[in-house]
């Protein structure tokens, strides 16, 4: 399975590029479109600078920051993150057709199209936008293709929303058995501890 590059050790992971795009989508949603994380409310950014910092961090965390962001691009990414969030929520709630319709909208709006091009002396690289696409348009196309690939190849269940209370962070499940339910071990431990306390109370 491509979404699990470790499944066949030694084999070329043709899907790693798509996984990288899903990881950018996850990072953008978690940095720019969550209202709660790890049991705490996430306040909206208070200024353009804060929004830009968060957007830059999101791209850096996904190893996708190539140069400092302008405020306008950060705003475009925030809007994209909200749309991606809706798609994660739809997939999570098994509303696959809704998720598909939202993804098709993102394809149309971004003018997504496969295109091989090279940067400088690097080898040819498959992009999902034309070389003249705008920055946000390019990421819209890339993230949409990544999520659509998962959804359209029977791996929609690998796109998750954290199961812990007061946490709406999202994740891509790359585990071997696909049993991940939480955004982080912190959330997993929080839920475990709550269950333990509940059992203690029930027991005595
Ligand atoms: Zn969580």
């Amino acid at each position: 399975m491509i979404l699990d590059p470790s499944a066949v050790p030694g084999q070329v992971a043709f899907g790693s590029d798509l996984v990288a795009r899903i990881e950018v989508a996850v990072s953008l949603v978690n940095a720019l479109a969550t209202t709660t994380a790890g049991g705490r409310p996430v306040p909206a950014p208070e200024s353009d600078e804060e929004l830009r910092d968060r957007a830059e961090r999101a791209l850096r965390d996904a190893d996708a920051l190539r140069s400092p962001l302008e405020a306008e691009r950060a705003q475009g990414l925030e809007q994209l993150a909200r749309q991606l969030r809706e798609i994660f929520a739809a997939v999570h709630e098994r509303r696959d057709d809704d998720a598909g319709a939202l993804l098709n909208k993102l394809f149309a709006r971004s003018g997504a199209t496969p295109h091989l091009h090279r940067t400088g002396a690097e080898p040819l690289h498959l992009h999902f936008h034309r070389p003249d696409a705008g920055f946000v348009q390019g990421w819209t196309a890339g993230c949409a293709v990544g999520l659509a690939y998962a959804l359209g190849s029977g791996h929609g269940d690998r796109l998750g929303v954290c199961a812990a209370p007061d946490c709406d962070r999202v994740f891509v499940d790359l585990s071997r058995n696909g049993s991940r339910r939480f955004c982080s071990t912190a959330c997993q431990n929080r839920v475990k501890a709550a269950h333990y306390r509940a059992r203690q109370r029930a027991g005595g």
Side-chain angles (χ1 to χ4, degrees):
M1 172 169 35
I2 283 170
L3 274 179
D4 182 2
S6 63
V8 189
Q11 204 170 74
V12 177
F14 282 111
S16 61
D17 251 24
L18 288 161
V19 171
R21 287 174 169 94
I22 298 173
E23 283 173 338
V24 171
V26 165
S27 201
L28 288 174
V29 171
N30 288 342
L32 302 172
T34 51
T35 54
T36 56
R40 291 191 202 92
V42 178
E46 282 179 10
S47 63
D48 283 353
E49 287 71 38
E50 196 188 336
L51 174 63
R52 199 193 49 219
D53 286 352
R54 282 197 203 176
E56 282 191 352
R57 204 176 329 127
L59 290 181
R60 197 178 304 120
D61 287 352
D63 200 21
L65 184 68
R66 305 282 171 262
S67 56
L69 279 185
E70 299 146 22
E72 199 183 321
R73 290 182 170 186
Q75 283 158 9
L77 290 180
E78 186 187 34
Q79 202 188 359
L80 170 61
R82 288 184 205 284
Q83 292 156 343
L84 295 172
R85 215 221 110 64
E86 275 182 54
I87 293 163
F88 272 91
V91 173
H92 184 64
E93 292 158 15
R94 304 281 156 90
R95 293 183 287 110
D96 284 7
D97 289 339
D98 290 347
L102 290 166
L103 282 165
N104 283 337
K105 250 189 227 174
L106 289 189
F107 287 151
R109 196 176 323 141
S110 64
T113 183
H115 200 277
L116 283 164
H117 57 264
R118 78 167 86 233
T119 311
E122 284 177 25
L124 280 175
H125 193 82
L126 178 61
H127 294 267
F128 297 101
H129 57 83
R130 293 158 40 89
D132 58 353
F135 179 85
V136 175
Q137 226 183 353
W139 278 117
T140 303
C143 291
V145 167
L147 298 189
Y149 174 77
L151 183 62
S153 64
H155 296 127
D157 58 348
R158 296 288 177 144
L159 305 176
V161 178
C162 186
D166 297 319
C167 185
D168 55 10
R169 285 166 62 88
V170 300
F171 59 86
V172 52
D173 182 359
L174 299 175
S175 68
R176 192 176 287 265
N177 58 6
S179 60
R180 185 170 165 185
R181 291 175 57 225
F182 301 101
C183 70
S184 60
T185 45
C187 270
Q188 186 173 15
N189 291 339
R190 194 157 60 84
V191 168
K192 258 193 213 162
H195 283 171
Y196 176 76
R197 284 194 302 272
R199 271 199 309 275
Q200 295 287 90
R201 275 196 303 274

